[in-house]
Amino acid sequence: MITLQQKAYAKLNLTLDVLGKRPDGYHEIESVMQLVSLADDLEIDLETGEDWRLECDMPGVPTDGENLAWKAVGLYYKTLGKDPQGVTIRLTKRIPSGAGLGGGSADAAAVLLALNRHEGGALSERQLLKLAAKLGSDVPFCLTGGTQMARGRGEELSKLPAMPDCFFLIVKPGFSVSTPVLYEAIDAEESVLHPNTRAMEAALRKGELLEVAGYLGNSFEPLVSRARPELLAIRAMMEDCGALGVAMTGSGSALFGVFDAFDMAAMGSMKLMEHHQTFLARNLKAEEL
């Protein structure tokens, strides 16, 4: 038996602009994405000689073929034309579900990275990205990380200058949001918030953290905040604690604040953890994967 280990890192959407519905039924987006240090731990046993199993310490996470990590193992070895001779996957979850942090996508990307390393780089990065896109729109970004622009459904990636070093306070309130329902809702909106993506790109090129934080934005956030005003209270608390900028990630429900000092982020976490899940993280560069 062979055991592989890999970190599965969460993502944040520094900007998320929903541009409209496409003929194929998906929505066209433009998003500046950032990998962060909040991570699940993944272990994969190969050649167990037993039926495939998935074990997870977080209730509610699928532990069968519906789990993206399981699907990633199957897709990888189908592509290689090999049989792993029995697989056990163990997931230690720290990335909360239903938060917009890409936890399932992160796990799938971690599987692809771990297996390809074990197989001596049998697939090129381009081939891995094709597999990742089949698994989900956020998986290609979680595979390559750093700071990138995502277009299309999220799978069309282009590298951006690394985000200046900073700290994030991520707050997950006690509710989640249905992504399909939210996309339906945004289609019915007369006026949609469109973040200034070009300004965000320019701020990253300048390496100015204060400017980067000032251009955070998410097309979905006004809709969710209207239905769940507690998000406004979380935002205000983070700003009071010194956040340079605050935004929702993905389709929610997590908000994140950008801080230039760890102690300020930690103070915000202390104030908010009584009523919400809180996580402290830093930005990761692509070479740290």
Side-chain angles (χ1 to χ4, degrees):
M1 187 176 74
I2 300 161
T3 299
L4 313 179
Q5 296 182 327
Q6 186 73 35
K7 291 279 188 185
Y9 294 106
K11 61 85 182 173
L12 294 175
N13 299 88
L14 303 182
T15 66
L16 176 53
D17 193 359
V18 181
L19 301 172
K21 201 167 187 178
R22 307 180 342 173
D24 62 5
Y26 290 100
H27 284 73
E28 191 78 15
I29 69 157
E30 193 170 59
S31 178
V32 177
M33 300 178 73
Q34 176 63 50
L35 207 69
V36 298
S37 59
L38 174 62
D40 295 339
D41 285 328
L42 177 81
E43 282 192 345
I44 308 170
D45 293 339
L46 302 174
E47 301 175 14
T48 65
E50 300 175 356
D51 291 341
W52 286 33
R53 288 201 331 268
L54 190 149
E55 302 166 0
C56 182
D57 65 341
M58 182 180 287
V61 173
T63 55
D64 56 13
E66 291 303 304
N67 190 290
L68 278 181
W70 184 306
K71 289 181 179 181
V73 176
L75 183 60
Y76 183 85
Y77 277 111
K78 181 180 178 182
T79 303
L80 285 194
K82 289 180 67 173
D83 182 351
Q85 303 293 325
V87 177
T88 297
I89 303 166
R90 285 182 295 279
L91 276 176
T92 302
K93 293 290 291 180
R94 295 185 184 86
I95 305 171
S97 300
L101 294 163
S105 297
D107 295 338
V111 165
L112 295 178
L113 288 170
L115 294 181
N116 205 48
R117 185 177 64 246
H118 169 66
E119 296 293 344
L123 299 182
S124 67
E125 182 177 285
R126 186 173 179 180
Q127 289 172 308
L128 283 178
L129 283 168
K130 284 185 177 180
L131 297 190
K134 291 180 181 178
L135 291 163
S137 299
D138 286 337
V139 183
F141 172 74
C142 292
L143 186 76
T144 48
T147 311
Q148 298 195 56
M149 173 69 74
R151 294 186 173 93
R153 292 186 292 113
E155 81 287 5
E156 299 170 17
L157 298 173
S158 53
K159 295 187 186 301
L160 292 171
M163 185 177 184
D165 290 342
C166 64
F167 301 97
F168 297 102
L169 169 57
I170 302 165
V171 181
K172 167 68 170 67
F175 67 90
S176 295
V177 181
S178 165
T179 302
V181 168
L182 203 50
Y183 272 111
E184 285 181 20
I186 206 167
D187 288 339
E189 286 286 296
E190 290 185 8
S191 177
V192 175
L193 170 69
H194 294 291
N196 193 338
T197 310
R198 301 286 85 76
M200 175 63 82
E201 287 183 279
L204 286 165
R205 290 195 171 90
K206 287 165 66 176
E208 293 288 344
L209 181 61
L210 187 59
E211 283 193 36
V212 169
Y215 289 115
L216 300 176
N218 186 323
S219 293
F220 289 126
E221 188 175 340
L223 282 73
V224 180
S225 295
R226 197 163 64 218
R228 292 285 193 165
E230 56 260 56
L231 287 189
L232 299 174
I234 294 171
R235 167 185 278 277
M237 181 72 78
M238 283 204 270
E239 290 172 343
D240 286 347
C241 290
L244 304 178
V246 180
M248 192 174 80
T249 182
S251 56
S253 59
L255 289 176
F256 66 93
V258 176
F259 293 80
D260 58 5
F262 178 80
D263 58 348
M264 306 279 277
M267 181 175 67
S269 177
M270 292 290 289
K271 289 186 176 182
L272 284 158
M273 66 171 48
E274 185 178 350
H275 300 292
H276 311 285
Q277 285 183 283
T278 65
F279 308 88
L280 294 167
R282 63 178 180 86
N283 55 309
L284 288 181
K285 296 176 173 61
E287 55 268 25
E288 294 184 79
L289 262 179

